[in-house]
Amino acid sequence: GHAAQALLLAMRASAAQLAAETTLSAIAAPLSAAIDALERAVRYVVANYATDIRGVSVGAVPMLKLFGITAGGWQLARSALIARQRLQQGGADSMFLAAKISTARFYADHLLSQAPGLAHGIVHGAAGALDENAL
């Protein structure tokens, strides 16, 4: 879990930068919620892998989706921060830079919002999936 924790710290630093930018703060909240969800799922996997590999394995695909969605949002957030900085400096391609910010906002609203649900399935989904009476 050390590598994941280091990555989560880097993600949180970007989220803090977003929150400090008035025009980008709407991206910060969904990114922070996704990072929290990812951290919750990582803690669950690290804490339970040695004792309940079957239960943890149930969440393997949702974990990949959660990690991918959160990492994608983080990268788009980083690009939005750079675009905002270049716009403030009078960037030559203002339409392209504005589109970067809009794309990050769209992603935050429509994809990062999935993260808490994925984390819930990872942390709590094993009981229902492994229940022999479920099928």
Side-chain angles (χ1 to χ4, degrees), residues 6-118:
L7 186 59
L8 288 164
L9 284 173
M11 290 178 175
R12 287 196 189 284
S14 296
Q17 286 179 296
L18 284 170
E21 287 279 338
T22 308
T23 58
L24 300 177
S25 61
I27 301 168
L31 179 59
S32 293
I35 295 166
D36 291 344
L38 179 57
E39 184 173 35
R40 190 168 50 256
V42 167
R43 274 197 320 264
Y44 168 79
V45 169
V46 169
N48 293 286
Y49 187 78
T51 58
D52 186 16
I53 193 168
R54 288 182 70 225
V56 170
S57 294
V58 166
V61 170
M63 179 61 115
L64 288 172
K65 290 174 76 172
L66 174 58
F67 229 116
I69 287 170
T70 306
W74 172 48
Q75 292 304 306
L76 285 168
R78 291 178 65 210
S79 72
L81 285 164
I82 293 166
R84 179 69 184 133
Q85 179 185 30
R86 290 190 180 158
L87 279 170
Q88 288 173 336
Q89 297 168 347
D93 197 355
S94 61
M95 287 180 59
F96 173 76
L97 296 170
K100 285 279 192 189
I101 295 168
S102 295
T103 301
R105 174 67 189 265
F106 177 88
Y107 193 96
D109 291 339
H110 294 275
L111 288 139
L112 287 176
S113 61
Q114 298 173 23
L118 289 166

